Amino acid sequence: MKYLQQFLLLMLFVFAGEAVYAVVPLPVPAGIWGLLLLLSALVSGVVKLPQIENVANFFLAVIPVLFVVPAVGVLEIFGDIAKIWPIMLAVICITYLAAMASTGWLADFMIRMKDKKSKVQSRK
C-alpha cells in the first residue's frame, strides 16, 4: 500500500505538470513543469522525502532500461547520421563542456553564498 501511495503522489505531480503545461504559454515540457512542482514541494516541506523515496529509487534503478529504445533508434538511422557524425560529435562535446562548466560555476556560487550567509549569522 505504501508503494501505491508513493506512486500516486508522484503521478499527482505529473498530472499537475500537464495542467500547468496546458495553461502556461511557455515552451517548457510538461514533465519539466511536474519536476519543478515536485522540487518546490520538497524544498518547501509540503512533501517529505520519505513520502516518495522508495518509488523514486525504483524509477532511478530502472531508468537505464528506458534508454535502450532510443539507442536502438539511433542504430537504425546510423546510415544517415554517419554523414554528419563529426559535426554531431563536436556539438555534443561543446554542449557537454558548457553544461559541466556552468554547473561547476553555479555550485561554486552557491557554496560562496552559503559561506557568506554562515559568516553573517556567526557574527550575530
Side-chain angles (χ1 to χ4, degrees):
M1 193 64 171
K2 173 178 72 171
Y3 294 107
L4 181 60
Q5 288 174 339
Q6 290 183 10
F7 179 74
L8 289 175
L9 184 60
L10 285 177
M11 290 302 106
L12 177 71
F13 284 97
V14 170
F15 177 73
E18 292 287 340
V20 171
Y21 176 73
V23 173
V24 177
L26 291 174
V28 177
I32 301 300
W33 284 117
L35 287 174
L36 289 173
L37 291 171
L38 178 59
L39 176 64
S40 63
L42 285 167
V43 169
S44 67
V46 173
V47 174
K48 305 283 190 254
L49 185 60
Q51 291 176 295
I52 60 166
E53 189 169 24
N54 294 327
V55 170
N57 285 337
F58 169 75
F59 284 142
L60 286 174
V62 299
I63 201 166
V65 175
L66 300 176
F67 289 106
V68 170
V69 174
V72 170
V74 168
L75 290 176
E76 286 183 4
I77 61 167
F78 187 73
D80 299 331
I81 294 174
K83 301 169 190 163
I84 57 167
W85 75 266
I87 297 168
M88 289 182 62
L89 184 61
V91 168
I92 289 169
C93 290
I94 290 168
T95 55
Y96 173 76
L97 292 173
M100 190 168 52
S102 62
T103 302
W105 287 325
L106 180 62
D108 186 48
F109 173 75
M110 293 176 74
I111 290 169
R112 278 191 264 130
M113 293 300 291
K114 183 180 175 186
D115 289 344
K116 284 182 184 179
K117 185 177 178 181
S118 64
K119 286 180 184 177
V120 169
Q121 288 178 349
S122 66
R123 290 180 188 167
K124 291 181 180 180

